[in-house]
Amino acid sequence: MNNGQIKIIKYEEVFADQTVRMWRDSKEQAINQNERHHIHSHKYYLSHILPDHYDIDLALLDNQVIGMIAYNEVEISQLYIHVDYQGIGIGKQLLNRAKNYSNGKLQLYTFDKNEYAKTFYEKNGFKKVGIQLENEENLTAIQYEWRK
């Protein structure tokens, strides 16, 4: 890993290209499935739809996006870490921001085939509470919940 300082900032649209590329690469690696949405649609979603319902934080290293989280008081919508920076604590840092902002309970979904994410959430206090069978990826998703 680079010896630079990791900074957590609120999402800024200047980072849209980097964020979407990182998000897509991380998701594609995790579920072995190409992203269905065109990159322009994905950037629009990130900059104009997601912020209406969620706070978005970015993890930066040397001004490069290496992680992102979208969350509100009750839910984590997205949490992705650059494939080269997984397993070194960035996800936990972002997750703790969401926990601190929460009302004491958070829910999220992750794909059942994403063993790495399931292990990560379970190590960080999330419990399986349900499943989701219908989503655009046509993959089973596990619903997780965390309580303070």
Side-chain angles (χ1 to χ4, degrees):
M1 183 180 137
N2 185 321
N3 289 332
Q5 181 76 15
I6 296 172
K7 293 190 314 189
I8 309 291
I9 66 165
K10 291 292 179 196
Y11 172 74
E12 298 172 17
E13 198 165 349
V14 68
F15 292 108
D17 287 334
Q18 286 186 49
T19 303
V20 167
R21 277 197 310 275
M22 180 277 306
W23 182 348
R24 293 164 76 92
D25 289 348
S26 180
K27 182 178 176 186
E28 288 174 5
Q29 181 190 56
I31 66 171
N32 197 28
Q33 188 178 107
N34 291 333
E35 178 59 46
R36 289 172 156 33
H37 300 286
H38 190 277
I39 195 157
H40 297 298
S41 299
H42 205 156
K43 283 193 277 190
Y44 182 84
Y45 177 75
L46 171 64
S47 294
H48 301 287
I49 296 172
L50 204 57
D52 288 346
H53 306 283
Y54 302 97
D55 284 349
I56 304 169
D57 293 343
L58 301 178
L60 302 179
L61 179 63
D62 297 332
N63 225 32
Q64 297 296 307
V65 175
I66 60 170
M68 69 88 69
I69 188 170
Y71 60 95
N72 61 29
E73 293 179 338
V74 297
E75 177 182 29
I76 296 173
S77 171
Q78 311 293 331
L79 175 56
Y80 289 98
I81 306 301
H82 188 289
V83 296
D84 294 338
Y85 294 92
Q86 294 177 0
I88 62 170
I90 298 163
K92 185 171 183 160
Q93 264 186 282
L94 293 172
L95 188 62
N96 285 339
R97 289 174 73 89
K99 286 178 174 181
N100 290 336
Y101 182 80
S102 76
N103 68 5
K105 182 172 115 175
L106 286 171
Q107 292 197 3
L108 60 83
Y109 289 89
T110 195
F111 295 109
D112 190 38
K113 73 185 299 184
N114 189 348
E115 294 296 332
Y116 187 81
K118 292 189 313 184
T119 299
F120 169 77
Y121 291 122
E122 290 168 16
K123 280 183 181 176
N124 283 282
F126 284 78
K127 306 283 186 228
K128 293 179 187 179
V129 294
I131 62 168
Q132 177 191 58
L133 299 175
E134 293 183 29
N135 52 57
E136 62 187 19
E137 290 85 0
N138 293 315
L139 296 173
T140 300
I142 305 298
Q143 181 183 16
Y144 280 95
E145 184 177 271
W146 168 84
R147 290 180 185 262
K148 201 171 198 169

